[in-house]
Amino acid sequence: MRGHLPDENPGFVGRRTELERVSAALAEHRLVTVTGVGGVGKTRLALRAAHRAAERYPDGAWWTDLGQLDGERLLVALVADSVDLADHTPGMAATGLCRRLADDRLLLVLDSCEHLAEPCARLVAELLAAAPGLTVLATSRRPLGVAGEETIALDPLPPAGPDALALLRRAAGEDFPAAGPAGEICVRLEGIPLALELAAAQIRLQGAEAVRDQLGSRLDAAPGARFDLLAHTERVWPSRHQTLRAAIGWSHELSTPLERLLWARLSVFRGPFDLASATAVCTSGPLDRATLPEALDGLVRASVVRPPDAAGRHRMLDTIREYGATWLDRTGEAGTVADRHAAHFRGLAGRAETEWHGARQLRWYRTVDAHHTDLRTALDRLLRTDPDAALDLVGSVAFAWSCRGRLREARDGLEQALLLSEARGRVRARALWALGVTLVLQGEFGPAQDVSERCAREARHAEYAEPAGAGAGTETGAGTGSGRDRPGDLTLDAAALAGLLALTTGRPTAAHVVVGHVLDAARGGPADSAARLRCHLVRVFALTGLGRLAEAREKALRLRALCEELDEHWTRTALEYQLALTGLLEGDPVAASGHARAMLEGTRRLGASLGVALGLDVLATALAAAGEGERAADVSGTGEAYWRSTGQPRRGLPGLRALHEKYTDTVRASIGEPAYEEIFVRALTGLPQDGLDRALRGPGRHG
């Protein structure tokens, strides 16, 4: 099935009437918003309703968690990412998203809109106008206020009813009788699901009678004594939320001092976090490396922190995180912990860049992807507090973001940091290189040319003009030799960028000259650094464009063998693309097909939708050249689906585009236009992943 929805929570209880109301509303209205106080179960209901309705939407049901954003700047990028739109197009932020959804019939779920209600309303109105087949299901503490919105207010579970008791039983793991302490707990907590979960956690630790008595003393107290919290102006709790306030405050009081301290500090994480990140960010004072794991276990037992998933990552619900953030404000540590968070993720970004060239590339690439939300949070913090550090962070991860299809976020972060930071040398040259690559991938060749020239000047400044032994902002970079007589990695990467730009604009001679000149002057071989390897890759593509096919193939095979020794994935995948193209140009479609499939396997591991689209094009061309018209049509239709997910029309190297058109025309004539179109459209409208699986079935890679 198309789309992406999180797995349903097995603890979902009741809500039959509400579920029917949401389902009926989705059948009649294009915007349905489930409203209610925090902790009432809006997310769970929306998720259950989305799973139930998904089969009605041919283009799938897609989930967007907006709780990870603390501002609207990346709203469109997050929604685009959630619907698998690797937006490589320039222009207005929402344009590519509107184009992606324009012809689809799909359900888009926007969860936790309340803190972005106005920008969400503007975006939803624009999307609904542009995409007639779009239905939006939103959750928010208040309506969005968009014309045609159908609002469904979600109340707590009936306190004395069977559903509240069933939820408490399931969460606590005990079969309580309806009459007795458990029933009284449900009534005292007014059937609020989150409050019942917190109570269930304490029942497992203390028993139902003790929990009932404690809640009684708390909830019977005067309102001002129920919840020792000075309300933050941005987190004002409504009066009908008094019971949940009391339940969370009660859980807070029952926590140990170290658990309360950790709760507050963990609130700086916007996304999932593992033990290593929690330790790096949250340790200081009495909370040290020895005591933190036990405190974290205590918060998990109390249901304040969710148990670790299969990858060992925890998370906190937004309502509980907000409470922790308010306590962090009260301790006076908010800025300090935010700075530690930013420093930790800056360090993680730096390690990811260092590990790019070698056996741990794929691992660190996936680490950057897994921590994407908190890397963005750290970048936003540093843009406000330390622009030079922000430039260092975004320069370290922007290339990985671009490979993953997050071009708009990479470009936005790089341009802001370059504008705000005054750092010179390696940090600026690297950021300019990453920005240039991003602009080339977006098809912005004019701005890319300007950035490429700036990158070359900055590389020369860093490697030749700066004093030896300069600091972090002006260091010469790895592999620079003496730093004076030969070009180093910064100059090599600047040349690779200039060569990439020349290749994509149909100038292989220029590409060959620029990288050849620098490689001839540099010390070392392609295995010595990522920059050298990238230059050698550009030279191979330039040789192909110049028609020196045997030389290109021989160099590509040697580079591929080197990448296999290094366990380097990105360059290896690009080389498979080049070898496939060479096979086509040499009239060997069988070899081209094998290399194209190898490229597709690599791009799938990297999660690079643009790479998948390019690989499907070269495979479709090879199949067409071999006379396999029906398979070529199927692969080409799947390729079109992936191209649409990038938000741009088909493109690639000029040589491949010409071959694709030539052989596609041939097979259209051989199997007939109607047959070709039927197969093409069936693949285009089917599940892209199924089409990719079909494309990968066939003869193995060619050696």
Side-chain angles (χ1 to χ4, degrees), residues 275-503:
L275 177 61
S277 293
T279 301
V281 173
C282 299
T283 53
S284 74
L287 195 61
D288 56 28
R289 291 181 175 274
T291 57
L292 186 142
E294 183 179 351
L296 181 59
D297 288 343
L299 293 178
V300 171
R301 288 193 298 271
S303 291
V304 171
V305 171
R306 295 305 193 199
D309 60 16
R313 292 173 302 205
H314 299 271
R315 64 183 296 268
M316 298 175 74
L317 293 179
D318 289 344
T319 305
I320 291 176
R321 183 175 55 78
E322 290 173 7
Y323 179 77
T326 307
W327 274 98
L328 189 63
D329 287 343
R330 292 188 67 187
T331 66
E333 286 192 334
T336 301
V337 178
D339 288 340
R340 283 206 301 267
H341 175 275
H344 170 67
F345 283 101
R346 180 189 176 193
L348 184 145
R351 285 197 62 193
E353 183 196 21
T354 301
E355 299 286 353
W356 181 264
H357 186 63
R360 293 194 284 185
Q361 181 189 80
L362 191 59
R363 172 192 166 192
W364 278 96
Y365 177 82
R366 290 172 175 166
T367 297
V368 167
D369 197 43
H371 291 288
H372 181 62
T373 298
D374 280 291
L375 283 165
R376 290 187 323 200
T377 301
L379 175 59
D380 286 344
R381 172 73 180 176
L382 292 173
L383 285 170
R384 295 191 299 269
T385 62
D386 188 348
D388 292 353
L391 187 66
D392 181 48
L393 186 155
V394 72
S396 297
V397 297
F399 184 64
W401 285 359
S402 293
C403 292
R404 186 66 175 80
R406 296 187 168 106
L407 292 179
R408 193 176 301 283
E409 292 176 73
R411 179 177 178 177
D412 177 73
L414 287 164
E415 289 180 337
Q416 284 199 72
L418 284 164
L419 180 65
L420 295 172
S421 170
E422 297 181 357
R424 296 294 308 274
R426 175 182 177 272
V427 172
R428 180 164 292 269
R430 181 188 54 183
L432 287 166
W433 166 74
L435 178 58
V437 172
T438 301
L439 291 168
V440 170
L441 292 175
Q442 286 188 313
E444 291 266 44
F445 301 130
Q449 181 65 46
D450 174 66
V451 170
S452 176
E453 294 169 1
R454 291 166 57 197
C455 179
R457 289 195 298 270
E458 194 65 36
R460 287 194 298 271
H461 171 80
E463 293 181 348
Y464 299 105
E466 288 291 342
T474 55
E475 62 191 58
T476 60
T480 58
S482 69
R484 299 294 172 197
D485 56 343
R486 294 181 182 273
D489 282 356
L490 299 178
T491 298
L492 285 159
D493 260 337
L497 171 58
L500 174 65
L501 180 58
L503 285 172

Side-chain angles (χ1 to χ4, degrees), residues 36 54 84 98 118 135-136 140 173 189 216 252 278 303 345 362 369 426 455 466 469 504 543 564-565 599 632 665:
D84 281 352
C98 288
E118 292 183 5
T135 299
V136 177
S140 178
L189 293 179
H252 190 260
S303 291
F345 283 101
L362 191 59
D369 197 43
R426 175 182 177 272
C455 179
E466 288 291 342
T504 53
L543 289 170
E564 288 172 349
E565 289 179 21
M599 180 207 178
D665 289 344

Side-chain angles (χ1 to χ4, degrees), residues 486-577:
R486 294 181 182 273
D489 282 356
L490 299 178
T491 298
L492 285 159
D493 260 337
L497 171 58
L500 174 65
L501 180 58
L503 285 172
T504 53
T505 52
R507 297 177 291 123
T509 300
H512 187 263
V513 169
V514 70
V515 296
H517 174 74
V518 175
L519 283 173
D520 289 344
R523 287 195 179 103
D528 290 347
S529 71
R532 282 170 171 74
L533 194 55
R534 284 188 281 260
C535 272
H536 281 276
L537 175 66
V538 171
R539 184 157 67 177
V540 165
F541 273 98
L543 289 170
T544 306
L546 291 170
R548 296 160 61 176
L549 302 181
E551 185 180 357
R553 177 166 32 81
E554 184 269 333
K555 288 184 181 297
L557 290 171
R558 280 198 280 124
L559 276 181
R560 190 185 68 175
L562 178 62
C563 289
E564 288 172 349
E565 289 179 21
L566 295 170
D567 197 21
E568 200 276 357
H569 291 261
W570 182 84
T571 305
R572 190 191 325 177
T573 296
L575 286 166
E576 296 290 3
Y577 177 73

Side-chain angles (χ1 to χ4, degrees), residues 628-665:
E628 299 185 52
E630 293 182 354
R631 296 186 66 204
D634 181 58
V635 173
S636 191
T638 302
E640 177 64 22
Y642 274 95
W643 276 113
R644 291 187 181 184
S645 78
T646 70
Q648 66 178 25
R650 266 188 160 105
R651 64 181 177 91
L653 293 178
L656 178 61
R657 291 200 298 270
L659 288 170
H660 183 75
E661 292 173 5
K662 171 186 172 182
Y663 288 118
T664 298
D665 289 344

Side-chain angles (χ1 to χ4, degrees), residues 121-133:
R122 292 194 298 270
L123 178 60
V124 167
E126 188 172 353
L127 293 178
L128 291 174

